[in-house]
Structures are given as structure tokens and as C-alpha cells.
Amino acid sequence: MQYRLEYADLSLILALVRGGTLARAAELLLVDVSTVFRAVRRLEKALGMALFEKGRSGYLPTATAQQLARQAEQAEQALEAARVGLEQGREVLSGTVRLTCTDTVLQGLLLPALGRFMGGYPGLHLELGTSNAFANLSRRDADVALRLTTAPPEHLVGRYLGEVRYALCARADYLSANAGKDWAELSWIGPDDFMPDHASVAWRRQAFAAVTPAYRCNSLLSVLELCRAGLGLAALPDYLVREGDGLQVLQHDLPGCGNGLWLLTRPDCRALRTVVTLFEELARHIQLPRAAS
């Protein structure tokens, strides 16, 4: 007869995976080392397979143990959500949502928004990934995407959150040190060939055709950091330009660089309470800068 796993078995496996040693697992489980040792041996015998390999650094989980540990984490999260629900006297939303966005959207818009509401959802867990590809949703690698686009794919559903504009910026002290020079004579910072079709690249080539960037980066976050370091001019999305970072805006709302910010998901995810709740909260808490007057 096949052994029937209990929650205590999953807790044991999870503790040893997290701790890596019998001593640390015993601390997590609030028992002594010998109890953990005997429990692991008894469980492996009942299952008819090894769950851990003893190495110099401690106990190394097999693929089976890692899979069981992930399932144990899900059970742990569900139990915690149930406890919180009882304490608060209400139903608690629980589950995991996989969310993808670009690195700049993550840093400039998503993380500040999550900080405003995620504390109210202790049972809701997010797996965050950075990518520019809509295919993530199509391949079911993610459930929700925050994307900058003027035309979201028709096979996805979602909500338009607002317009993102670009501004030409530089550090104030860099501009002071180069006072009297035309913008085209200054050092420019921009995306490299990794983003050849980026809107800011197209704008620069049209507005300043003779300019060759002195610095090229494969990430807009890197472009931002070089600009903040006082190395030159850069076209940046307005949500990355903040008061107190030393940047001065030379030109607002660069022509042809505007983009829409969309919150997107697959049609089959619309019935999931976790996705619907995340949609509503992100739409409420993501704050895009207002257009300059």
C-alpha cells in the first residue's frame, strides 16, 4: 500500500530543504536533532526512496524533495491565509500570480504601487519577472503583464492605465559645466543595439541626426544611472525622473516617444479572483506623472 503523505511530512521536508542541516531543521521545527534524523529516515523508508543526499555542506535535496518542498510552501501559505482570515474575521485571498514587466516599469511604477497595497493581502504571493516579450503571456509563462505599447495584442485582454511620456534630461551640474554649448555638442546616453527600435532612439535620430551617443546601454535603467552620474543627456520615461535625483528636464513630452501603459492578461485568467484583485489594486495604485504644463 502506498504511503500517504501528511502535512507533518511536508513540514519536515520543507524545514530540511530550508535549513540544509539537521541542526537548522531542528531549530525550525522546534525539536531536537535526533528527532529530525529519525523522522527523515522513517519517511524515506516509507516512501521507498531517498529524499536527501548527505554532503559536506549538509543535506542536499533530491528533485523529489524539492518538488515536495514547493508543495509544502503552498500548503504553508494557504494555512497562514486561513489563520489570518480567522483573526480578521473575513475571507483572505490566497494564491500565486506570475507578473511580468520591463525592468524600468518594475522599478519606476510597479514596486511603489505594490508597497501601497500588498500588506493587505498576506495570502497573495507574486512571482515577478522582467521581460519585454508579450509571448510570456501567450506561452503561459506569466498570468499578468504590465506593458508599454500603443497596440496591445488582440488575443490579450486588459486595461489602459495611462500615457507614458519621455523627457530629455541631464544633471544640473553637468549642464552648468557645459554652459553655452548646444545640446548636440554634449555627450549623449542611449540604448544600444539591443533596443534598436526604441522610441527614444528614433526621436534622437530625427531631432539630432548628427549625434552619436558617447554611452550606449542595453537597459534603460543603466541609461538612467549614467545620466544621474552626470555623464550626459538622455531621453527618459517621465516616471523615472523624480524630484531630488539631481536631474533637470530640458524638454518635456518628446515627439513620437509617447506610449500607453497597459495591464494585460489572458482571457482564461479573467475568472481568477487573484488576477481580478491584482488588476483592481494596480489600476488604483500605479501613479503616472501628470503631463507638464
Side-chain angles (χ1 to χ4, degrees):
M1 182 176 179
Q2 187 175 8
Y3 179 75
R4 182 174 180 176
L5 278 173
E6 303 290 344
Y7 181 73
D9 299 325
L10 293 178
S11 297
L12 170 68
I13 295 170
L14 183 58
L16 195 48
V17 169
R18 285 174 171 172
T21 65
L22 292 175
R24 180 58 183 149
E27 292 178 4
L28 294 174
L29 294 171
L30 301 178
V31 298
D32 56 52
V33 173
S34 60
T35 298
V36 176
F37 177 74
R38 290 194 300 270
V40 171
R41 292 194 63 181
R42 184 168 57 248
L43 180 57
E44 289 182 328
K45 183 178 180 180
L47 294 175
M49 67 176 68
L51 296 173
F52 296 89
E53 297 178 2
K54 185 69 170 67
R56 291 185 177 181
S57 59
Y59 277 66
L60 304 176
T62 63
T64 299
Q66 291 174 340
Q67 179 181 0
L68 290 173
R70 287 192 293 269
Q71 294 169 339
E73 285 184 327
Q74 294 174 5
E76 183 181 67
Q77 293 167 5
L79 182 58
E80 179 61 22
R83 287 171 176 163
V84 173
L86 287 174
E87 292 172 2
Q88 298 180 354
R90 62 180 177 86
E91 182 182 2
V92 175
L93 188 71
S94 65
T96 299
V97 178
R98 298 166 299 169
L99 193 154
T100 179
C101 61
T102 64
D103 53 358
T104 55
V105 169
L106 176 71
Q107 294 293 330
L109 295 173
L110 179 60
L111 294 184
L114 293 179
R116 298 183 187 108
F117 70 84
M118 280 299 290
Y121 297 93
L124 181 61
H125 301 271
L126 300 183
E127 294 180 2
L128 302 176
T130 54
S131 168
N132 291 297
F134 282 114
N136 276 16
L137 288 179
S138 303
R139 294 195 310 264
R140 300 176 182 268
D141 294 336
D143 306 308
V144 175
L146 268 171
R147 286 287 180 256
L148 292 171
T149 180
T150 55
E154 294 183 358
H155 65 278
L156 300 178
V157 295
R159 182 178 300 185
Y160 175 73
L161 300 184
E163 185 178 1
V164 171
R165 300 171 177 84
Y166 276 70
L168 183 63
C169 307
R171 274 190 65 92
D173 52 4
Y174 174 82
L175 295 173
S176 297
N178 291 276
K181 293 183 180 179
D182 292 336
W183 292 350
E185 299 178 79
L186 303 179
S187 296
W188 285 64
I189 310 160
D192 64 11
D193 293 337
F194 185 72
M195 295 181 283
D197 300 321
H198 195 272
S200 65
V201 175
W203 168 81
R204 188 193 70 240
R205 287 173 176 168
Q206 181 176 3
F208 296 89
V211 166
T212 299
Y215 305 93
R216 299 200 304 163
C217 311
N218 65 359
S219 163
L220 277 185
L221 283 182
S222 299
V223 172
L224 170 67
E225 292 306 318
L226 267 65
C227 190
R228 282 177 174 171
L231 295 176
L233 281 64
L236 298 168
D238 53 5
Y239 60 79
L240 290 180
V241 182
R242 299 170 180 169
E243 293 184 8
D245 61 7
L247 294 183
Q248 179 176 326
V249 176
L250 301 176
Q251 182 178 341
H252 290 280
D253 200 3
L254 302 181
C257 288
N259 245 332
L261 180 66
W262 286 83
L263 190 57
L264 300 166
T265 188
R266 303 188 309 273
D268 61 291
C269 288
R270 287 184 296 178
L272 300 176
R273 289 184 60 236
T274 50
V275 171
V276 172
T277 300
L278 188 62
F279 256 58
E280 295 300 324
E281 293 289 7
L282 287 176
R284 186 179 301 118
H285 291 284
I286 286 180
Q287 299 177 354
L288 288 170
R290 295 181 179 178
S293 56

